[in-house]
mmCIF file of all heavy atoms in Angstrom:
data_model
loop_
_atom_site.group_PDB
_atom_site.id
_atom_site.type_symbol
_atom_site.label_atom_id
_atom_site.label_comp_id
_atom_site.label_asym_id
_atom_site.label_seq_id
_atom_site.Cartn_x
_atom_site.Cartn_y
_atom_site.Cartn_z
ATOM 1 N N ASP A 199 4.739 -5.259 1.117
ATOM 2 C CA ASP A 199 5.365 -4.158 1.844
ATOM 3 C C ASP A 199 4.314 -3.382 2.636
ATOM 4 O O ASP A 199 4.462 -3.132 3.841
ATOM 5 C CB ASP A 199 6.058 -3.249 0.825
ATOM 6 C CG ASP A 199 7.016 -2.243 1.440
ATOM 7 O OD1 ASP A 199 7.660 -2.554 2.460
ATOM 8 O OD2 ASP A 199 7.144 -1.146 0.875
ATOM 9 N N VAL A 200 3.240 -3.019 1.966
ATOM 10 C CA VAL A 200 2.164 -2.261 2.619
ATOM 11 C C VAL A 200 1.481 -3.103 3.693
ATOM 12 O O VAL A 200 1.223 -2.632 4.810
ATOM 13 C CB VAL A 200 1.137 -1.765 1.578
ATOM 14 C CG1 VAL A 200 -0.022 -1.031 2.274
ATOM 15 C CG2 VAL A 200 1.803 -0.850 0.548
ATOM 16 N N LEU A 201 1.226 -4.352 3.367
ATOM 17 C CA LEU A 201 0.550 -5.230 4.322
ATOM 18 C C LEU A 201 1.372 -5.421 5.590
ATOM 19 O O LEU A 201 0.828 -5.460 6.704
ATOM 20 C CB LEU A 201 0.269 -6.590 3.674
ATOM 21 C CG LEU A 201 -0.496 -7.604 4.529
ATOM 22 C CD1 LEU A 201 -1.885 -7.075 4.878
ATOM 23 C CD2 LEU A 201 -0.594 -8.940 3.795
ATOM 24 N N THR A 202 2.690 -5.520 5.450
ATOM 25 C CA THR A 202 3.561 -5.692 6.610
ATOM 26 C C THR A 202 3.443 -4.510 7.562
ATOM 27 O O THR A 202 3.359 -4.679 8.792
ATOM 28 C CB THR A 202 5.023 -5.869 6.160
ATOM 29 O OG1 THR A 202 5.110 -7.011 5.307
ATOM 30 C CG2 THR A 202 5.947 -6.059 7.346
ATOM 31 N N VAL A 203 3.401 -3.293 7.007
ATOM 32 C CA VAL A 203 3.245 -2.108 7.848
ATOM 33 C C VAL A 203 1.840 -2.049 8.430
ATOM 34 O O VAL A 203 1.658 -1.754 9.623
ATOM 35 C CB VAL A 203 3.573 -0.832 7.060
ATOM 36 C CG1 VAL A 203 3.327 0.414 7.911
ATOM 37 C CG2 VAL A 203 5.023 -0.859 6.581
ATOM 38 N N ARG A 204 0.851 -2.354 7.622
ATOM 39 C CA ARG A 204 -0.528 -2.353 8.118
ATOM 40 C C ARG A 204 -0.688 -3.291 9.311
ATOM 41 O O ARG A 204 -1.293 -2.932 10.336
ATOM 42 C CB ARG A 204 -1.488 -2.743 6.986
ATOM 43 C CG ARG A 204 -2.902 -3.114 7.409
ATOM 44 C CD ARG A 204 -3.552 -2.089 8.316
ATOM 45 N NE ARG A 204 -3.980 -0.902 7.615
ATOM 46 C CZ ARG A 204 -4.122 0.291 8.191
ATOM 47 N NH1 ARG A 204 -3.837 0.460 9.478
ATOM 48 N NH2 ARG A 204 -4.519 1.336 7.513
ATOM 49 N N GLU A 205 -0.139 -4.489 9.208
ATOM 50 C CA GLU A 205 -0.278 -5.459 10.299
ATOM 51 C C GLU A 205 0.474 -5.002 11.553
ATOM 52 O O GLU A 205 0.079 -5.335 12.671
ATOM 53 C CB GLU A 205 0.213 -6.824 9.839
ATOM 54 C CG GLU A 205 -0.709 -7.463 8.813
ATOM 55 C CD GLU A 205 -0.229 -8.823 8.329
ATOM 56 O OE1 GLU A 205 0.981 -9.105 8.469
ATOM 57 O OE2 GLU A 205 -1.063 -9.577 7.802
ATOM 58 N N ALA A 206 1.518 -4.210 11.364
ATOM 59 C CA ALA A 206 2.302 -3.737 12.509
ATOM 60 C C ALA A 206 1.607 -2.629 13.290
ATOM 61 O O ALA A 206 1.839 -2.482 14.490
ATOM 62 C CB ALA A 206 3.666 -3.241 12.034
ATOM 63 N N ILE A 207 0.751 -1.860 12.621
ATOM 64 C CA ILE A 207 0.184 -0.673 13.281
ATOM 65 C C ILE A 207 -1.312 -0.796 13.557
ATOM 66 O O ILE A 207 -1.930 0.145 14.068
ATOM 67 C CB ILE A 207 0.453 0.603 12.466
ATOM 68 C CG1 ILE A 207 -0.237 0.570 11.100
ATOM 69 C CG2 ILE A 207 1.959 0.830 12.323
ATOM 70 C CD1 ILE A 207 -0.128 1.873 10.325
ATOM 71 N N GLY A 208 -1.907 -1.927 13.244
ATOM 72 C CA GLY A 208 -3.326 -2.089 13.526
ATOM 73 C C GLY A 208 -4.174 -1.159 12.686
ATOM 74 O O GLY A 208 -3.934 -0.990 11.495
ATOM 75 N N ASP A 209 -5.155 -0.532 13.320
ATOM 76 C CA ASP A 209 -6.110 0.275 12.560
ATOM 77 C C ASP A 209 -5.719 1.751 12.465
ATOM 78 O O ASP A 209 -6.530 2.595 12.092
ATOM 79 C CB ASP A 209 -7.511 0.138 13.148
ATOM 80 C CG ASP A 209 -7.593 0.606 14.602
ATOM 81 O OD1 ASP A 209 -6.571 1.041 15.153
ATOM 82 O OD2 ASP A 209 -8.699 0.532 15.184
ATOM 83 N N VAL A 210 -4.478 2.080 12.760
ATOM 84 C CA VAL A 210 -3.985 3.456 12.613
ATOM 85 C C VAL A 210 -4.043 3.866 11.139
ATOM 86 O O VAL A 210 -3.824 3.041 10.241
ATOM 87 C CB VAL A 210 -2.536 3.552 13.143
ATOM 88 C CG1 VAL A 210 -1.903 4.891 12.794
ATOM 89 C CG2 VAL A 210 -2.512 3.328 14.648
ATOM 90 N N VAL A 211 -4.355 5.131 10.893
ATOM 91 C CA VAL A 211 -4.408 5.643 9.520
ATOM 92 C C VAL A 211 -3.063 5.408 8.837
ATOM 93 O O VAL A 211 -2.010 5.780 9.353
ATOM 94 C CB VAL A 211 -4.760 7.143 9.511
ATOM 95 C CG1 VAL A 211 -4.549 7.750 8.124
ATOM 96 C CG2 VAL A 211 -6.204 7.350 9.968
ATOM 97 N N LEU A 212 -3.112 4.772 7.656
ATOM 98 C CA LEU A 212 -1.904 4.464 6.887
ATOM 99 C C LEU A 212 -2.016 5.074 5.501
ATOM 100 O O LEU A 212 -2.902 4.723 4.724
ATOM 101 C CB LEU A 212 -1.706 2.949 6.773
ATOM 102 C CG LEU A 212 -0.526 2.481 5.907
ATOM 103 C CD1 LEU A 212 0.794 2.985 6.474
ATOM 104 C CD2 LEU A 212 -0.518 0.956 5.792
ATOM 105 N N LYS A 213 -1.088 5.992 5.199
ATOM 106 C CA LYS A 213 -1.011 6.604 3.875
ATOM 107 C C LYS A 213 0.199 6.019 3.157
ATOM 108 O O LYS A 213 1.281 5.949 3.738
ATOM 109 C CB LYS A 213 -0.892 8.122 3.981
ATOM 110 C CG LYS A 213 -1.930 8.753 4.896
ATOM 111 C CD LYS A 213 -1.847 10.272 4.822
ATOM 112 C CE LYS A 213 -2.422 10.904 6.082
ATOM 113 N NZ LYS A 213 -1.365 11.284 7.029
ATOM 114 N N VAL A 214 0.010 5.621 1.918
ATOM 115 C CA VAL A 214 1.058 4.927 1.166
ATOM 116 C C VAL A 214 1.573 5.846 0.063
ATOM 117 O O VAL A 214 0.851 6.186 -0.881
ATOM 118 C CB VAL A 214 0.524 3.608 0.580
ATOM 119 C CG1 VAL A 214 1.589 2.932 -0.276
ATOM 120 C CG2 VAL A 214 0.075 2.670 1.700
ATOM 121 N N ILE A 215 2.838 6.244 0.206
ATOM 122 C CA ILE A 215 3.473 7.167 -0.742
ATOM 123 C C ILE A 215 4.018 6.374 -1.924
ATOM 124 O O ILE A 215 4.882 5.508 -1.755
ATOM 125 C CB ILE A 215 4.611 7.937 -0.073
ATOM 126 C CG1 ILE A 215 4.115 8.675 1.176
ATOM 127 C CG2 ILE A 215 5.236 8.928 -1.064
ATOM 128 C CD1 ILE A 215 5.227 9.287 2.015
#
Side-chain angles (χ1 to χ4, degrees):
D199 193 33
V200 177
L201 183 62
T202 301
V203 177
R204 166 51 75 205
E205 290 179 339
I207 64 173
D209 60 0
V210 170
V211 169
L212 176 61
K213 310 187 203 99
V214 177
I215 304 171

